[in-house]
Amino acid sequence: MKLFNPDSRIMIFLSRVADLVILNILWLVCCIPVVTIGASTTAMYHVIRHWQKDSVSSIMRDFFQSFKEDFKQATPVYLILLIPTVAVVINAMLIFNPENSAAVPSYLLVIWFISALILLFISSFVYPVMAFFADSIFKTLRNAMVLALANLPRTILISILNLLPVILLFVDLIFGLSFFLQSSIFWLLIGGALVAYLNMSILKPVFKKLVPSEFEDTVPDTQE
């Protein structure tokens, strides 16, 4: 039947879903030691980058090859970002604590919000950046910040996607719902890889300008 032809749209779609499930499981397993979250996330974006070029021969082999190659770059970057992330979370717990909220000055709330926003923007861009470029820690963080601010609409969109689990959790806590628990199987099976895949699709025009050779085989050149 044409429906089950390997080149049919439905089969291509199902094949990609299966690939995302495999990639998501690899990512989660390699995140378990916690200190490896940066390398694991970079490896996931690296595989998706190769998908954009149709150059993935083996998801597992490409993932672990990237994990090994990017470990020295991704781990320090992750640990550096972890410090302000912990600070932002602790401050949020203090600021939004009902017992303290009335005593918190408005300017501290503004400072916290701006700090959290900048950290979120950099964190959302830094792993795609590391999937494309092997740079020093300082240059990686600087490039992530510059690209995030220069492509603000895309940055906001991928930041919202990255925050979806947190948003669902807060909605559950505030309104007494169970969206997060009901969707937990989705996040365990495919959620992280799917979000990364959508992020890379959203950021594709950005990286096409920076490294046009990456997309020569998949995106036809256009003359302006």
Side-chain angles (χ1 to χ4, degrees):
M1 294 178 62
K2 188 175 181 180
L3 179 64
F4 297 104
N5 187 309
D7 295 325
S8 66
R9 290 184 179 181
I10 185 65
M11 293 304 294
I12 293 174
F13 171 77
L14 292 175
S15 176
R16 184 45 50 91
V17 169
D19 290 342
L20 286 171
V21 170
I22 295 170
L23 182 58
N24 195 75
I25 292 172
L26 288 173
W27 171 66
L28 284 176
V29 170
C30 290
C31 282
I32 290 175
V34 180
V35 72
T36 58
I37 289 176
S40 183
T41 304
T42 304
M44 176 172 62
Y45 275 101
H46 216 121
V47 172
I48 296 172
R49 167 197 165 191
H50 289 165
W51 277 346
Q52 291 182 336
K53 291 187 64 179
D54 293 326
S55 61
V56 174
S57 55
S58 167
I59 295 175
M60 187 171 294
R61 182 169 63 247
D62 285 6
F63 181 89
F64 284 110
Q65 181 179 347
S66 172
F67 185 91
K68 180 180 178 180
E69 293 175 352
D70 296 328
F71 186 85
K72 290 183 179 180
Q73 178 191 9
T75 302
V77 170
Y78 160 71
L79 293 176
I80 288 172
L81 290 175
L82 183 62
I83 297 171
T85 299
V86 171
V88 164
V89 171
I90 292 175
N91 284 319
M93 294 171 64
L94 295 174
I95 290 172
F96 297 105
N97 187 324
E99 297 179 359
N100 301 329
S101 58
V104 175
S106 299
Y107 72 89
L108 287 181
L109 184 60
V110 173
I111 292 173
W112 174 87
F113 179 77
I114 294 174
S115 301
L117 205 59
I118 293 175
L119 179 62
L120 174 61
F121 287 173
I122 294 174
S123 299
S124 295
F125 239 102
V126 75
Y127 297 107
V129 165
M130 286 191 289
F132 277 91
F133 306 106
D135 290 319
S136 66
I137 296 171
F138 172 77
K139 190 173 181 180
T140 297
L141 292 171
R142 185 195 64 185
N143 288 344
M145 181 173 66
V146 170
L147 289 173
L149 295 177
N151 300 276
L152 206 52
R154 296 180 190 276
T155 304
I156 292 172
L157 186 52
I158 65 173
S159 297
I160 292 172
L161 287 174
N162 291 334
L163 276 182
L164 271 179
V166 179
I167 293 172
L168 289 176
L169 181 59
F170 271 101
V171 169
D172 286 359
L173 293 174
I174 294 172
F175 298 102
L177 303 175
S178 57
F179 289 148
F180 182 80
L181 289 176
Q182 291 173 0
S183 64
S184 59
I185 187 64
F186 166 79
W187 296 106
L188 289 173
L189 279 179
I190 195 174
L194 179 59
V195 167
Y197 184 83
L198 293 174
N199 286 346
M200 286 294 271
S201 299
I202 293 168
L203 297 178
K204 188 174 181 178
V206 176
F207 288 107
K208 184 188 174 186
K209 293 179 181 178
L210 296 173
V211 278
S213 59
E214 280 283 318
F215 305 96
E216 285 178 353
D217 295 333
T218 57
V219 181
D221 294 332
T222 56
Q223 300 292 330
E224 294 184 355

